Amino acid sequence: MADGPLAIGVDIGGTKVAAGVVDASGRVRRRARRDTPHRSTSPRVVEDTIVSAVEELLAQEADVVAVGVGAAGFVAADRATVVFAPHLSWRNEPLRTALGERLALPIFVDNDANAAAWAEHRFGAGRGESQLVMVNLGTGIGGGIVIDGRVLRGRFGIAGEFGHLQVVPDGIRCECGNRGCWEQYASGNALVREARSLMSAGSPVVSDLFARVGGDPGELTGPLVTEAARDGDALARELLGEIGRWLGIGIANLAAALDPGTFVVGGGVSAAGELLLEPARAAFRGQLTGRGYRPEAAIVAAQLGNEAGLVGAADLARVGAADLAWSEAVEHAEGAGDAEPSPAG
């Protein structure tokens, strides 16, 4: 597989633009990185950053067939337009056209979580699974769906926004404007919010976390809570267990709707491993519709880490370029057939 065509994947996050040349086995051969321009800048500045990283890689690898871009935000079903990106200045931005005018390669744009789900399906924890749902736990919750070897994007391209499923009517207010969204209970933000709440209340059970941040709750992060849990801190483990419980509840709801064979859990919070996944599986089994009378989907940790989005964007672009070449070949053959009908008519 590694001998197949190369593609470039670009993963655009809130702080960095990561690009890489990826071979057909999912291996990243070369990398380039840039800082993400501030959200107040114009779309052109972000496009300049992408083009700069891609051109750096093209100067080192000539046999690239396509470029895939994974963006955090809503990407239209045409895989060309970024409808809305909360961390960037893209609003109905025709990104594929803008990049296509500057890069002489086929361009494919996708949601970053779709790209990560595809990467795990092809090369990671979901390899060989035809019905896969990926749940990405970061500051919020994103996700991707792969059904029968295809990414399910939805009619408008916005499928997989799992974080905004309502799990608690009239619950905690979410940044999206609604209340009780899943990501307010099972995400990095939720983990840090609960820990800081106890710290601000002066609870003695957070003494270890206080020590880790020098007494400043504002310095607390999700990775620090995970580190404390791994070191045996009882409160940190309890907090991760609660996040895991909510994760399992939400996954049970997704199972009722989609019935996949495997749930892959990725994102920064998933670094907690079994401290998160064990309580998630327990809650999942307790909430699953028809429990005891149906097969249970596996809940596993993602394998590709921070490079899943980059790898998936590249592989989706490779597949897209092959489909495009095939379509063009068929059109050419049909055109030739119209001009010179075969003897058989």
Side-chain angles (χ1 to χ4, degrees):
M1 288 181 64
D3 294 332
L6 303 176
I8 289 177
V10 183
D11 185 18
I12 306 169
T15 60
K16 72 178 187 302
V17 174
V21 178
V22 183
D23 67 24
S25 69
R27 182 174 66 93
V28 182
R29 293 169 47 134
R30 298 184 187 275
R31 296 170 175 81
R33 175 172 172 154
R34 301 286 189 277
D35 292 334
T36 303
H38 190 269
R39 72 171 72 188
S40 65
T41 60
S42 71
R44 175 76 181 197
V45 176
V46 183
E47 290 152 15
D48 289 345
T49 304
I50 296 170
V51 170
S52 171
V54 171
E55 288 180 338
E56 176 185 326
L57 295 171
L58 289 174
Q60 303 171 70
E61 295 279 6
D63 300 325
V64 173
V65 298
V67 176
V69 178
F74 297 166
V75 178
D78 61 6
R79 298 178 65 194
T81 305
V82 181
V83 178
F84 172 70
H87 301 296
L88 299 168
S89 53
W90 288 335
R91 305 292 184 269
N92 289 312
E93 179 67 18
L95 185 59
R96 185 168 69 186
T97 298
L99 295 178
E101 292 172 349
R102 304 173 65 181
L103 298 168
L105 286 169
I107 308 292
F108 298 88
V109 184
D110 222 316
N111 171 266
D112 59 346
N114 284 344
W118 180 256
E120 292 290 344
H121 161 68
R122 290 272 285 132
F123 310 113
R127 191 169 185 175
E129 174 59 72
S130 64
Q131 314 280 328
L132 176 148
V133 172
M134 185 166 185
V135 179
N136 278 327
L137 273 67
T139 54
I141 299 178
I145 307 164
V146 178
I147 301 295
D148 294 332
R150 298 182 67 87
V151 176
L152 180 64
R153 297 181 175 87
R155 174 64 179 84
F156 304 106
I158 307 175
E161 293 296 328
F162 304 142
H164 301 292
L165 296 172
Q166 188 185 61
V167 295
V168 179
D170 298 322
I172 297 170
R173 176 75 72 179
C174 181
E175 289 181 2
C176 76
N178 293 329
R179 288 186 178 275
C181 292
W182 188 24
E183 68 178 40
Q184 293 303 313
Y185 301 88
S187 67
N189 277 353
L191 178 64
V192 172
R193 182 190 66 232
E194 292 304 303
R196 286 178 177 170
S197 176
L198 287 167
M199 295 172 80
S200 297
S203 173
V205 299
V206 291
S207 58
D208 180 60
L209 295 180
F210 261 122
R212 289 173 187 267
V213 296
D216 182 1
E219 294 296 314
L220 188 69
T221 64
L224 279 175
V225 178
T226 298
E227 179 183 286
R230 285 176 173 162
D231 290 343
D233 180 68
L235 175 69
R237 286 176 172 249
E238 180 183 331
L239 291 172
L240 274 172
E242 184 68 4
I243 296 298
R245 185 177 74 84
W246 280 110
L247 173 62
I249 290 170
I251 288 177
N253 288 336
L254 292 176
L258 298 170
D259 189 32
T262 301
F263 287 95
V264 177
V265 180
V269 183
S270 70
E274 290 301 310
L275 291 172
L276 176 77
L277 295 183
E278 185 176 343
R281 294 188 191 107
F284 172 71
R285 294 187 187 103
Q287 294 289 321
L288 184 63
T289 301
R291 52 193 173 275
Y293 297 96
R294 59 176 287 177
E296 289 184 8
I299 300 175
V300 300
Q303 293 179 353
L304 300 181
N306 292 333
E307 292 197 322
L310 183 161
V311 170
D315 199 64
L316 284 168
R318 181 186 296 106
V319 172
D323 289 345
L324 185 61
W326 173 255
S327 297
E328 291 174 349
V330 169
E331 289 179 6
H332 178 75
E334 289 176 346
D338 290 342
E340 298 180 13
S342 68

